[in-house]
Amino acid sequence: MTAPRPQMPGLQGSLFDQGADIRPGPLGSVRRVALDGGAWVDHLPGWFHGADALFEELAEGVPWQAEERKMYDNVVAVPRLLAYYREGAPLPHPALVEAREALSAHYASELGESFVTAGLCLYRDGRDSVAWHGDRMGRSATQDTMIAILSLGDPRDLALRPRGGGPVALRLPLGHGDLVVMGGSCQRTWEHAIPKTTRAVGPRISVQFRPRGVG
């Protein structure tokens, strides 16, 4: 169901991103971290200009959905709000179209196709989270692929570990326009999560760009 306008703590704006010019930056300085099993993660802090302004527009204008899922014998609320834009659907801000096109062009030689869908998650505070998982629906269950994530709002940790458990191998605090791209076998051989936190954190939006048929 469509959620009412979310009640959230205030965004703690970045001191380095106060402009109103909302657009992606260059991708030439992205840094790659090689993981085991043919997986890798690209990371570019502060990729997006005007990220805090974009956060405010998306928080206000996106038709956020509150979902429930069955867990054992109970139905529980998904601890974040969601929105999904299928292939061909208009995105909620023109800067996201520009971002998707820039990512498709930059990764064309490796990916071999374009990013075509966008999924959005709104983490209202430290109680909202996503559990350990790999995005293994569709082709990503059997093929190497990429998922690119633009992070807006207050930083939250993206944690990664090898599939099957074990200690966290990589932890990236993402927010205020940061970019992370998970590629290679990452969805099959690794897991990622946004853990809950008791720290006083403001809201965060993640925008996940995916190729066709990748869940």
Side-chain angles (χ1 to χ4, degrees):
M1 63 179 179
T2 301
R5 188 180 187 279
Q7 298 296 313
M8 302 177 294
L11 173 66
Q12 302 171 28
S14 170
L15 295 176
F16 304 101
D17 184 29
Q18 298 298 324
D21 183 17
I22 301 175
R23 59 180 173 81
L27 287 160
S29 58
V30 68
R31 181 178 66 91
R32 180 161 296 183
V33 178
L35 305 172
D36 292 339
W40 54 263
V41 171
D42 279 0
H43 182 215
L44 181 56
W47 175 52
F48 225 84
H49 302 284
D52 290 347
L54 178 57
F55 171 91
E56 297 290 354
E57 294 195 31
L58 296 179
E60 177 72 28
V62 167
W64 298 104
Q65 302 288 317
E67 295 189 358
E68 295 179 331
R69 293 179 183 170
K70 187 172 183 180
M71 183 174 291
Y72 306 107
D73 294 328
N74 299 315
V75 175
V76 299
V78 173
R80 57 196 176 278
L81 301 181
L82 306 169
Y84 180 72
Y85 295 84
R86 66 185 184 281
E87 182 176 359
L91 296 184
H93 196 284
L96 296 184
V97 178
E98 188 178 354
R100 189 169 64 183
E101 291 174 349
L103 290 164
S104 293
H106 182 80
Y107 288 101
S109 61
E110 288 183 282
L111 184 57
E113 57 184 319
S114 297
F115 296 97
V116 297
T117 66
L120 279 68
C121 294
L122 172 55
Y123 300 85
R124 293 157 289 189
D125 55 31
R127 294 169 294 181
D128 279 355
S129 64
V130 62
W132 288 107
H133 71 290
D135 294 347
R136 289 188 281 271
M137 295 179 62
R139 291 189 293 122
S140 52
T142 58
Q143 301 174 21
D144 286 3
T145 189
M146 296 183 197
I147 296 175
I149 300 174
L150 167 64
S151 187
L152 308 166
D154 279 8
R156 291 286 300 273
D157 286 350
L158 173 70
L160 293 104
R161 70 183 185 187
R163 184 178 179 182
V168 172
L170 181 65
R171 189 182 297 271
L172 299 172
L174 299 178
H176 297 305
D178 297 348
L179 173 71
V180 66
V181 181
M182 294 180 284
S185 68
C186 198
Q187 302 306 323
R188 301 195 315 277
T189 61
W190 285 68
E191 298 174 325
H192 57 278
I194 303 291
K196 295 181 186 297
T197 178
T198 57
R199 291 184 291 112
V201 295
R204 170 185 179 260
I205 292 173
S206 71
V207 184
Q208 310 107 42
F209 298 108
R210 293 179 172 88
R212 181 181 297 115
V214 173

